[in-house]
Amino acid sequence: MKRTIDRWITAIVDHTPLRFYCALVNLRCVLRGKAHRVSPYEHSNSIYEVRSGDDSILLCRRGRHNMHKRGIRSRIDALARDYCLSSLGDLAGGTLIDCGANIGELGRWASAMGMKYIPFEPEKLEADCCDLNNFSGRRETNRFPLWKTDDILRFYNRPRGADGSLLANGEDDSFVEVQARRLDSVLTAEQLTHPIVLKVEAEGAEPEVLQGAEKLLAVIDFITIDCGYERGSREAPQHTLIETNQLLRTAGFELMAADLRRCSFLFRRQRQE
C-alpha cells in the first residue's frame, strides 16, 4: 500500500505543470525559511533553475532542488568532499574526467580549480543540464555510458533516482539500447593535461569502467570512485570496493582517502622509488 501511495504522489508531482510546481516549491521555501528559489527554464518544459543569492544552477529532476537549500556553492563543495577531492592540492591546469556527471556540479568545482572538464552522462536531460551549467549550452557532454567494451548494450533508465545503469536490478521498468564505449577508446593521453583526475560513479558498473580505461590508467594521477551498494538486486545490493581496489592496486594505485558515509574512495598513483 505504501509503495502504491508513493507512486501516486510521484505521478502527481511529475505531471504538475512546471510553473505551478515551481510556485509550490517557492511557497514551501518561504514557509520553511529556506533561501533558495526555483523558476522554469524558458527553453525547456523539463529543466528549471535554482537560485541562491547571486548563484544559480539548472536541474531537471523535481525534488532535487532541496540539495541546494544551503546554497549552490555549499552543495558543490560538499560533493567535492564526498569524493575526497578537497584533500588534493593544486590542480590548476589539470583535467577532471567525470564518469556519471549528472548535471555537471563537479564541473563547477573543476572550473574553480582551473581544470579542464570532460563529462560523461548518458541520461539526456542531465546531459543537457551539464552542457548548460558548464559550457553555455554547447553540446560538450559525452552522452553515452562507459563500459569495458565498445558494444551495443541495454541501458536501464531510472531518472527519478538519477541512477540509470547498464546493470539490471530486477525492478527496471524500461530500457533503451545504447552504444557503450571504453574510456580509452574515446580519450587519449595527448588530450589530457596533468594532474589528471578520474571520477567514477557508474551505479555498480565501476569495475567495468576501470577495465575500459586500462590504456589510460598509466597516465591518470588520481581516481575517486563511488563503490556504494548499487550492484545486484534491490533486495541484496552489493558494493564494488573489493573489485575496484584489486583492479587499481594491480594498475599501480594506492588508497589515499575515504568517505565511508558515501562509500567513496580516493586512489593515487604510487610514487616510483
Side-chain angles (χ1 to χ4, degrees):
M1 176 63 73
K2 183 178 183 299
R3 178 172 293 182
T4 300
I5 293 173
D6 287 344
R7 286 177 177 173
W8 286 348
I9 293 173
T10 296
I12 292 171
V13 170
D14 286 348
H15 291 89
T16 299
L18 186 57
R19 288 190 179 278
F20 184 55
Y21 170 78
C22 290
L24 290 176
V25 168
N26 289 335
L27 176 60
R28 187 181 184 190
C29 287
V30 170
L31 294 176
R32 296 195 173 188
K34 297 179 180 179
H36 72 289
R37 299 290 185 269
V38 302
S39 60
Y41 178 61
E42 61 180 337
H43 301 297
S44 170
N45 294 323
S46 301
I47 295 173
Y48 64 99
E49 182 182 35
V50 179
R51 302 182 312 280
S52 181
D54 295 330
D55 208 353
S56 67
I57 196 165
L58 293 168
L59 308 182
C60 57
R61 304 299 171 186
R62 301 187 182 191
R64 294 180 72 83
H65 63 87
N66 220 34
M67 294 181 176
H68 299 272
K69 63 184 178 182
R70 293 185 176 86
I72 294 166
R73 187 72 243 177
S74 177
R75 156 67 179 171
I76 291 171
D77 289 343
L79 192 61
R81 288 194 298 273
D82 285 350
Y83 282 101
C84 306
L85 293 170
S86 55
S87 64
L88 299 178
D90 183 12
L91 298 171
T95 306
L96 174 62
I97 305 168
D98 192 354
C99 168
N102 199 263
I103 64 165
E105 289 161 303
L106 284 179
R108 294 281 190 90
W109 176 84
S111 178
M113 299 296 290
M115 302 181 75
K116 178 181 179 180
Y117 182 55
I118 304 177
F120 291 82
E121 176 50 57
E123 292 281 6
K124 180 188 181 304
L125 282 175
E126 277 78 3
D128 288 346
C129 284
C130 189
D131 285 336
L132 290 165
N133 288 326
N134 293 284
F135 306 109
S136 300
R138 297 190 310 278
R139 196 180 174 92
E140 299 282 346
T141 302
N142 295 283
R143 296 161 183 256
F144 47 80
L146 294 173
W147 189 246
K148 61 184 177 181
T149 57
D150 291 331
D151 211 344
I152 303 295
L153 300 173
R154 290 181 175 183
F155 182 79
Y156 297 91
N157 299 104
R158 303 166 198 150
R160 185 158 184 85
D163 57 355
S165 177
L166 290 172
L167 301 176
N169 67 4
E171 296 186 5
D172 304 291
D173 294 328
S174 65
F175 65 84
V176 292
E177 291 192 339
V178 298
Q179 174 68 63
R181 301 291 303 275
R182 288 177 60 95
L183 181 62
D184 60 18
S185 71
V186 179
L187 297 177
T188 64
E190 290 72 27
Q191 296 172 267
L192 311 174
T193 54
H194 292 276
I196 302 168
V197 181
L198 169 62
K199 170 249 173 180
V200 183
E201 159 56 292
E203 304 299 335
E206 291 80 21
E208 287 80 5
V209 172
L210 293 177
Q211 290 167 15
E214 184 180 10
K215 297 175 185 176
L216 285 178
L217 292 181
V219 299
I220 291 173
D221 301 294
F222 301 97
I223 298 178
T224 181
I225 188 161
D226 187 327
C227 298
Y229 288 78
E230 296 168 328
R231 197 176 181 102
S233 67
R234 293 287 190 186
E235 294 76 18
Q238 304 168 10
H239 63 75
T240 57
L241 175 59
I242 294 174
E243 296 91 336
T244 55
N245 182 60
Q246 289 174 341
L247 284 166
L248 291 176
R249 285 180 63 85
T250 300
F253 287 82
E254 61 183 356
L255 182 63
M256 178 180 174
D259 184 308
L260 298 181
R261 179 186 56 83
R262 190 184 181 98
C263 203
S264 61
F265 301 86
L266 177 65
F267 294 83
R268 65 183 171 194
R269 173 161 300 289
Q270 291 181 349
R271 298 181 179 86
Q272 299 296 324
E273 299 296 337

